[in-house]
Amino acid sequence: MASPLEIDEENDNKGSMWDLEQKLDQPMDEEAGRLRNMYREKKISALLLIRLAYQSLGVVYGDLGTSPLYVFYNTFPHGVNDPEDVIGALSLIIYSLTLVPLLKYVFIVLRANDNGQGGTLALYSLLCRHANIKIIPNQHRTDEELTTYSRTTFQEKSFAAKTQRWLEEQSFIKSTILILVLVGTCMVIGDGILTPAISVLSAAGGIKVNRPEIDNRVVVVVAVVILIGLFSMQHYGTDRVGWLFAPVVLLWFLLIGGIGIFNLWRFGGNVLRAFSPFYVYRYFQKGKKNSWLSLGGILLSITGTEALFADLANFPVSSVQIAFTLLVFPCLLLAYSGQAAYLVQNLHHSQDVFYRSIPDKIYWPVFVIATLAAIVASQATITATFSIIKQALAHGCFPRVKVVHTSKKFLGQIYIPDINWILMVLCIACTAGFKNQSQIGNAYGTAVVLVMLVTTLLMILVMILVWHCHWILVVVFTGLSLIIECTYFSAVLFKVDQGGWAPLAVAGVFLIVMYVWHYGSVKRYEFELHSKVSMAWILGLGPSLGLVRVPGIGLVYTELASGVPHIFSHFITNLPAIHSVVVFVCVKYLPVYTVTDEELFLVKRIGPKNFHMFRCVARYGYKDLHKKDDDFEKKLFHNLFMFVRLESMMEGCSDSEYSLCEQQTVQSRDAMFNNNGNTGSLSIVDLSISSVDSIVPAKSPLQVNVTFQSSSQCTEVDELEFLNNCREAGVVHILGNTVVRASRDSRFYKKIAVDYIYAFLRKICR
């Protein structure tokens, strides 16, 4: 067994000197016992997996489960004349469900999650960690030492290494990948609009089936009322009613599966011939173009598959796989087979086959459950839209909007008021404007197939860079996926004028907003980086910075993780006073799903000690929520005080700037261990003022049993007392505003994008 020191180094060298000393103090058998306990905790029992699989039904499968409400209607919008067409369509549905949700997503794509997070932006974050393709260059080498910054390594001459170098050298490729990701994100937003529209409208259509005298406009009004109620309740979150979702969806799957068995028994199992792929060939041979166009309706049988990946966050992959293979997949096959058996005997009922196939005695209970299932499916899609907007915010691809956490127990449950009302207006417009399921179905299919294509293209890079798959496996996966998805895409292209234009228009608007915002953010960051103030200029001002130092702490917010921002020179040039303590605060998001509280802040001193200037970098993942509130301020000062204590213990106080880098930390450890905890001075590495701007985590020194020189302790007490007095005198948050303008020789589209669109977005965002 390796020693505790070797274990620490093998783990990835992320522990601090304080953590290392604690491990050295532990007995060998205690360390081994701790590791065994950690291993036991990671093993999930079969009972827990089944429980998680049950809970995942209400979050992951609502959208996919409500597809039987409208698939056959959209496949045969003008009716069906030949029973063989029904069997051919059923065969296509069976193999679509088998190849796309089951084989591609459940067993392959779900494994490409980013520490349990799914969706196109999660894939992008995963790729950003394995190749330097992020366009905003705000990462620091210490960011790669985060616990959640997991990445794989590959050999220098491997195919993955060559692909990585090719991606990093081509700026055009970086922009192309980003646009591809944004297109997929915009299409998911389109799903958030169209899923509630088609699901609720299809469920409400059951009123007209049992009461034929009711006008279609009444059905639309009922659907709109349900939608208004659904979106109006979003600010309460799903925590309070979420416990209802899983039983509703479970009951829904059992009902549609049971009704399918009943119809197969009642009308005969002749349709089960559709399990033979021969009937797919016959379907296309006989129907030709009409059969090809009907693929737009068949595609709706796999809608919700992308939501299955995007909503993965709160469940382990194995539980989602169990739920799909043991319950969802069999019930969907039974439901479609039963509807096909009914439709073969009742060809004129293609437009409302789901409700027509329900036994009369349970019609109204099924109608109620169908409506509830449609609401659950809509809720899951809306929540997924909120999550993906939050991820886009973290990647600098969306204007800043208000994000509200609706649950103290579940970090992923959020509510975005602005997006909620935009979704509601667009969803009601689709429901009331199209007025029938066929055109909404065409729009829905266009959005779904484009998201699948984007996921396939991103998966190529994941298989190469992350999984290190052989190129033959990559070609096989890509070829099969593109054949299926391009076939569906070619079919929905013919229906762009029949409703398919809706998601393209919505996605186009969101794509322009997101790309222009990201472009403007990059240009603003580049300006800040190139115009930052040199340290020599700061040192030339002296301890008073050439101004009156008034009591208090000034928190100067900047996007730079290194250097002094240009706004600071502007500030001290135009104002006669500055606070006694100045802290440059940089808040940045990293391509990780979360950052632990212990690793949230990095702290560094700027200039000599008597300048009382610090830098503090707050790092967040795309699932984390940053708020400039009392809690943030409290954590910031706690880490600042810890840094001052750490610096005093390491005797890093002098009249020149020191960078506390990894090399220094290692030497300091050696000095501490050689002295066996006795009084002694620790070695310091002077990297000079022009050195790399390094920052280190402020770890608590209270856990270390080391006695330092009294001069260090006095200095520490004096500065901590000074900082406390300044904090009590008042804390001021200082934010600058950089105005971005296109240069005079820029092309007209850049002037429109920067001077008008970006300027407007900056004006209305938070």
Side-chain angles (χ1 to χ4, degrees):
M1 176 178 174
S3 68
L5 179 58
E6 292 171 340
I7 291 172
D8 182 76
E9 292 175 348
E10 290 171 2
N11 275 343
D12 55 10
N13 295 322
K14 293 171 186 170
S16 67
M17 52 194 279
W18 320 117
D19 298 329
L20 186 58
E21 189 180 23
Q22 271 195 325
K23 287 184 179 180
L24 286 173
D25 290 338
Q26 292 177 347
M28 188 76 71
D29 54 348
E30 182 182 340
E31 177 70 18
R34 186 179 64 83
L35 294 175
R36 283 197 300 269
N37 290 334
M38 289 174 60
Y39 178 72
R40 288 195 196 102
E41 288 174 1
K42 290 182 179 179
K43 294 177 68 177
I44 301 176
S45 66
L47 187 62
L48 179 59
L49 266 181
I50 294 173
R51 197 180 89 183
L52 290 171
Y54 162 72
Q55 291 176 346
S56 71
L57 291 174
V59 177
V60 177
Y61 294 111
D63 191 7
L64 188 64
T66 53
S67 297
L69 286 169
Y70 44 78
V71 168
F72 276 111
Y73 170 72
N74 286 275
T75 304
F76 304 111
H78 306 296
V80 56
N81 299 318
D82 190 345
E84 292 296 315
D85 290 342
V86 178
I87 296 177
L90 176 61
S91 186
L92 275 170
I93 291 171
I94 291 171
Y95 285 99
S96 295
L97 284 170
T98 304
L99 294 174
V100 180
L102 182 63
L103 295 182
K104 178 187 173 183
Y105 276 85
V106 171
F107 289 110
I108 299 177
V109 175
L110 287 189
R111 296 188 177 276
N113 63 85
D114 179 20
N115 289 285
Q117 310 298 315
T120 52
L121 281 168
L123 290 178
Y124 182 63
S125 298
L126 194 62
L127 293 173
C128 284
R129 295 205 301 272
H130 288 79
N132 185 21
I133 60 174
K134 192 175 181 182
I135 297 177
I136 301 180
N138 64 346
Q139 281 192 233
H140 192 271
R141 58 181 175 77
T142 55
D143 297 335
E144 299 181 9
E145 299 173 5
L146 289 171
T147 306
T148 53
Y149 202 97
S150 58
R151 57 188 299 182
T152 56
T153 57
F154 31 76
Q155 296 178 352
E156 182 74 21
K157 297 182 179 180
S158 64
F159 182 60
K162 294 177 181 177
T163 305
Q164 180 195 34
R165 288 193 294 270
W166 177 69
L167 291 174
E168 293 177 348
E169 292 169 359
Q170 304 290 331
S171 58
F172 173 74
I173 299 297
K174 293 181 182 179
S175 299
T176 303
I177 294 174
L178 176 65
I179 293 175
L180 192 68
V181 170
L182 294 183
V183 169
T185 303
C186 294
M187 288 301 168
V188 172
I189 296 173
D191 283 353
I193 297 168
L194 295 168
T195 298
I198 193 169
S199 299
V200 174
L201 186 61
S202 300
I207 301 174
K208 190 177 178 182
V209 173
N210 198 266
R211 296 286 187 272
E213 67 277 6
I214 295 178
D215 189 76
N216 189 57
R217 287 176 294 184
V218 176
V219 176
V220 174
V221 170
V222 171
V224 168
V225 170
I226 294 174
L227 290 172
I228 292 175
L230 174 65
F231 282 100
S232 299
M233 299 293 289
Q234 289 301 312
H235 68 280
Y236 292 111
T238 57
D239 191 21
R240 298 179 182 178
V241 294
W243 59 275
L244 278 173
F245 289 178
V248 166
V249 177
L250 175 62
L251 183 58
W252 167 252
F253 277 118
L254 293 177
L255 277 173
I256 61 175
I259 293 170
I261 294 173
F262 171 78
N263 285 318
L264 287 172
W265 169 78
R266 183 180 177 186
F267 298 103
N270 191 39
V271 294
L272 297 180
R273 292 178 296 160
F275 279 87
S276 169
F278 172 73
Y279 288 94
V280 174
Y281 168 75
R282 285 190 58 179
Y283 182 67
F284 286 117
Q285 183 188 42
K286 182 181 178 182
K288 297 182 179 178
K289 184 179 179 180
N290 290 332
S291 298
W292 191 271
L293 293 177
S294 70
L295 286 175
I298 302 291
L299 175 63
L300 298 183
S301 64
I302 55 177
T303 56
T305 304
E306 194 62 37
L308 180 151
F309 182 41
D311 288 327
L312 184 64
N314 297 317
F315 305 98
V317 172
S318 53
S319 66
V320 176
Q321 292 173 333
I322 289 172
F324 187 84
T325 53
L326 297 184
L327 179 70
V328 177
F329 185 64
C331 288
L332 287 175
L333 292 183
L334 288 172
Y336 288 118
S337 299
Q339 288 186 36
Y342 176 87
L343 193 55
V344 165
Q345 302 296 328
N346 303 273
L347 296 177
H348 56 289
H349 286 167
S350 62
Q351 294 195 347
D352 44 27
V353 60
F354 174 79
Y355 282 109
R356 295 282 186 180
S357 64
I358 300 173
D360 293 337
K361 293 182 179 180
I362 62 170
Y363 181 87
W364 287 113
V366 172
F367 170 77
V368 172
I369 297 299
T371 305
L372 292 175
I375 292 173
V376 171
S378 304
Q379 176 64 55
T381 312
I382 294 168
T383 304
T385 305
F386 291 158
S387 297
I388 204 163
I389 292 290
K390 173 67 176 65
Q391 292 183 29
L393 279 169
H395 284 85
C397 296
F398 203 86
R400 290 184 294 273
V401 290
K402 183 179 181 180
V403 179
V404 180
H405 271 284
T406 58
S407 173
K408 295 181 179 179
K409 294 186 293 183
F410 304 103
L411 183 63
Q413 292 187 8
I414 59 175
Y415 167 65
I416 305 178
D418 302 328
I419 300 300
N420 182 65
W421 303 123
I422 291 174
L423 290 179
M424 187 187 78
V425 171
L426 293 175
C427 185
I428 291 174
C430 288
T431 305
F434 289 132
K435 296 181 181 178
N436 65 74
Q437 301 174 28
S438 179
Q439 289 186 326
I440 299 178
N442 295 337
Y444 196 15
T446 305
V448 168
V449 73
L450 283 173
V451 178
M452 290 181 178
L453 282 169
V454 169
T455 301
T456 297
L457 296 176
L458 293 177
M459 279 296 298
I460 297 173
L461 296 177
V462 170
M463 293 179 75
I464 295 172
L465 296 176
V466 183
W467 293 351
H468 308 158
C469 294
H470 195 278
W471 66 269
I472 294 179
L473 292 177
V474 178
V475 170
V476 170
F477 171 82
T478 306
L480 291 176
S481 298
L482 290 180
I483 288 173
I484 297 171
E485 289 156 10
C486 288
T487 302
Y488 278 121
F489 183 61
S490 64
V492 299
L493 281 178
F494 285 98
K495 297 186 177 182
V496 170
D497 60 334
Q498 303 173 31
W501 57 269
L504 297 178
V506 172
V509 173
F510 275 97
L511 180 62
I512 291 172
V513 169
M514 295 172 75
Y515 187 77
V516 168
W517 180 264
H518 184 268
Y519 178 80
S521 300
V522 171
K523 293 301 177 185
R524 190 175 75 249
Y525 183 84
E526 289 175 351
F527 169 77
E528 296 279 355
L529 193 64
H530 293 149
S531 60
K532 63 182 180 181
V533 180
S534 66
M535 187 58 65
W537 183 80
I538 294 291
L539 293 175
L541 297 175
S544 66
L545 301 180
L547 302 169
V548 177
R549 301 297 291 268
V550 298
I553 298 179
L555 301 181
V556 182
Y557 286 87
T558 173
E559 295 187 9
L560 297 180
S562 62
V564 178
H566 178 73
I567 191 67
F568 182 70
S569 65
H570 181 78
F571 182 82
I572 63 176
T573 303
N574 291 275
L575 293 176
I578 191 67
H579 299 89
S580 298
V581 177
V582 177
V583 182
F584 295 102
V585 181
C586 171
V587 177
K588 68 176 183 178
Y589 286 88
L590 302 176
V592 295
Y593 73 102
T594 188
V595 176
T596 61
D597 287 341
E598 294 78 15
E599 300 173 314
L600 182 61
F601 288 96
L602 294 176
V603 182
K604 177 194 184 255
R605 185 184 296 277
I606 296 178
K609 194 170 185 181
N610 57 352
F611 277 41
H612 300 299
M613 296 176 65
F614 301 90
R615 178 185 319 287
C616 184
V617 179
R619 305 175 294 180
Y620 292 91
Y622 54 80
K623 292 287 286 183
D624 297 329
L625 180 65
H626 164 62
K627 295 173 66 178
K628 292 187 181 74
D629 55 7
D630 293 339
D631 186 54
F632 173 77
E633 191 176 293
K634 186 188 300 182
K635 289 180 180 178
L636 189 152
F637 287 124
H638 172 74
N639 282 269
L640 179 62
F641 293 165
M642 288 299 103
F643 171 81
V644 171
R645 293 177 185 174
L646 173 64
E647 188 185 45
S648 297
M649 287 183 177
M650 297 177 69
E651 293 194 352
C653 310
S654 72
D655 292 333
S656 61
E657 179 186 10
Y658 294 98
S659 296
L660 303 176
C661 63
E662 292 176 358
Q663 180 182 358
Q664 167 199 338
T665 305
V666 172
Q667 293 182 5
S668 302
R669 287 177 182 171
D670 295 338
M672 289 182 67
F673 298 142
N674 290 334
N675 291 329
N676 294 322
N678 296 326
T679 303
S681 61
L682 305 181
S683 59
I684 282 292
V685 179
D686 185 357
L687 298 182
S688 79
I689 295 168
S690 60
S691 65
V692 178
D693 194 355
S694 300
I695 40 187
V696 296
K699 300 290 185 179
S700 173
L702 301 179
Q703 303 169 356
V704 189
N705 298 319
V706 182
T707 305
F708 289 90
Q709 294 176 349
S710 59
S711 60
S712 297
Q713 293 174 350
C714 293
T715 307
E716 171 195 339
V717 172
D718 290 343
E719 185 164 19
L720 287 177
E721 185 178 356
F722 177 76
L723 290 175
N724 268 317
N725 292 336
C726 290
R727 184 181 180 184
E728 292 173 359
V731 179
V732 178
H733 297 254
I734 305 168
L735 291 86
N737 182 31
T738 303
V739 179
V740 181
R741 293 289 183 187
S743 59
R744 292 183 178 180
D745 56 344
S746 298
R747 296 184 179 181
F748 75 95
Y749 57 85
K750 283 191 176 181
K751 290 183 178 180
I752 294 174
V754 174
D755 294 347
Y756 296 97
I757 300 177
Y758 182 74
F760 173 74
L761 293 174
R762 285 273 292 178
K763 188 179 295 184
I764 65 172
C765 79
R766 292 178 176 271

